[in-house]
Amino acid sequence: MKRGALISYPTAIVCLAFAASAEPRPLSEIVKSFHFHISPQTPFHLPAPFKMAPADESVSTDVIISDVIGKTQSIAIFSGLTRDIDPVSGRLDDASKNATVLAPDNGVMRELKRKPWEDPEDYSAFGAEAYQGPDGEDRAHKNLRRFVERHVVPESPWEEGKKVKTLDGNEIWWEDKDGQKKIQPGDVEVKSIADKVSNGEVWVIGGSLA
Ligand SMILES: *[C@@H]1O[C@H](CO)[C@@H](O)[C@H](O)[C@H]1NC(C)=O
């Protein structure tokens, strides 16, 4: 069964459709993005060629993170979330503010022990309905924002060993271990650098920082 190959292609299309609309999605849509739900009505066309190869060392001067983050298929779930959080999408869309985005790949996002909109304290306080209704949506959105902001470093270039606070305020750094970049604390592997553009970089990581 080549299930992966069958679902990943339309998922990228859904992702690109969100990129075009730039509207925050309701929670129900976000939940669907984790299950690769594809509506039969999804128009089947490709607005642009997929960017499959990692970026080379050159930096494109006129392109910014918000232009490219939705085009890397392997981080489609995370990049979809960045567009749901206004302060983050605004930042990535601001040519005058650099950032290093640490984007967990789709496999990491699907296997998270708890979904990025969930917080065990919400379940203790509000029970199984914690994310129902308008208050539930607000709670989910707050948790999503925290998750996404933990994966955005508000500077680029980001030097090895330099401790920085992410947009969520937690402190991280990275080190090179035998040619392998690792985010610390946690030893989270940097798998590749998907993009280098004028206001920063998008790194694909093999774990989550939440
Ligand atoms: C922002 O990133 C660009 C591209 O890497 C770099 O040339 C520039 O110096 C950076 N600006 C700041 C303020 O770090």
Side-chain angles (χ1 to χ4, degrees), residues 59 98 156-157 197-201:
V59 171
N98 286 9
S156 177
V197 291
S198 64
N199 68 344
E201 302 184 2

Side-chain angles (χ1 to χ4, degrees), residues 4-141:
L6 286 174
I7 57 176
S8 57
Y9 186 61
T11 300
I13 295 169
V14 169
C15 173
L16 288 166
F18 286 132
S21 73
E23 278 290 311
R25 297 168 293 173
L27 181 62
S28 56
E29 287 299 320
I30 294 170
V31 171
K32 279 183 201 166
S33 76
F34 278 71
H35 297 107
F36 293 92
H37 172 96
I38 304 299
S39 119
Q41 285 83 35
T42 302
F44 196 82
H45 64 87
L46 291 176
F50 288 128
K51 182 168 187 261
M52 300 297 288
D56 61 22
E57 290 303 305
S58 63
V59 171
S60 356
T61 47
D62 44 355
V63 176
I64 58 174
I65 297 173
S66 54
D67 295 326
V68 293
I69 193 168
K71 294 179 183 167
T72 303
Q73 193 184 354
S74 64
I75 55 167
I77 299 177
F78 182 82
S79 68
L81 297 184
T82 65
R83 280 185 292 275
D84 296 317
I85 310 298
D86 288 341
V88 172
S89 60
R91 169 110 202 175
L92 304 183
D93 202 27
D94 185 339
S96 71
K97 288 193 181 134
N98 286 9
T100 305
V101 180
L102 306 172
D105 69 20
N106 294 337
V108 170
M109 294 302 291
R110 279 191 302 250
E111 276 153 35
L112 290 170
K113 273 191 242 101
R114 64 170 197 264
K115 299 300 182 202
W117 59 86
E118 293 179 320
D119 180 336
E121 286 184 11
D122 291 333
Y123 285 120
S124 322
F126 305 101
E129 312 278 272
Y131 303 111
Q132 306 288 313
D135 289 350
E137 288 254 345
D138 285 350
R139 276 190 285 277
H141 193 266

